Amino acid sequence: PFSRALSLASVGRRVTISVDRDQLLKSALGPLLSATPHDLCPGRLCMKYLGEEGEDGDGGGGVTRAFLTHAGTLLADPHLGLLLPALDGHCQLNPIPGFLSPNSTDVDGVWQQPDRWSRFLGRLLAMSVVHECPLGILLAPSLC
């Protein structure tokens, strides 16, 4: 499968990304966007929560999967402004990211940096595929 091909290519150094559990998305945004796609593959990526001892097992099974699940929950929040609720519990992309978001004045927020946050969403979606860990977001069928 696709993820197996990517994981076989990831030989070499491991990349550790530390994130703050209380500011998960904002603390992960910069490091995930600055990493190469190759560095985000299973076997290379090691996620770590600041101030916690947990560590990924072989293939990024533990903390990385927990991070992806937690990030998916936060991304689906309409207050973030990246996704909007749709019918039947699905989510769809916000055509104007961050518009009407309560945090629209935040300089690092979705409204101020929509391209950056959209790339971040794309990275997380790709990571969920290669790590075989669903984000828990039901995307509207037009996006699937």
Side-chain angles (χ1 to χ4, degrees):
F2 177 70
S3 63
R4 180 173 158 77
L6 287 177
S7 64
L8 289 175
S10 61
V11 177
R13 66 182 174 91
R14 288 179 61 106
V15 175
T16 300
I17 295 179
S18 297
V19 294
D20 182 357
R21 191 180 290 272
D22 295 328
Q23 295 289 319
L24 188 74
L25 296 180
K26 285 189 180 184
S27 66
L29 182 71
L32 288 181
L33 290 179
S34 64
T36 66
H38 184 69
D39 287 340
L40 301 177
C41 290
R44 299 265 325 229
L45 178 65
C46 179
M47 295 299 295
K48 184 165 179 50
Y49 286 109
L50 293 172
E52 297 183 22
E53 294 296 321
E55 190 172 300
D56 274 335
D58 287 338
V63 179
T64 299
R65 292 178 68 82
F67 163 76
L68 289 170
T69 303
H70 190 186
T73 303
L74 296 173
L75 285 171
D77 182 358
H79 290 105
L80 180 64
L82 202 53
L83 299 171
L84 294 174
L87 295 175
D88 298 325
H90 289 84
C91 292
Q92 65 183 22
L93 290 176
N94 187 340
I96 307 173
F99 188 67
L100 299 179
S101 173
N103 298 327
S104 61
T105 58
D106 183 3
V107 294
D108 293 326
V110 175
W111 177 248
Q112 301 295 328
Q113 300 181 16
D115 292 343
R116 190 168 189 226
W117 280 89
S118 296
R119 283 185 51 235
F120 180 61
L121 173 62
R123 285 275 170 113
L124 288 175
L125 287 171
M127 287 174 63
S128 76
V129 171
V130 298
H131 286 271
E132 298 177 359
C133 178
L135 290 176
I137 300 172
L138 295 173
L139 294 175
S142 62
L143 295 175
C144 296

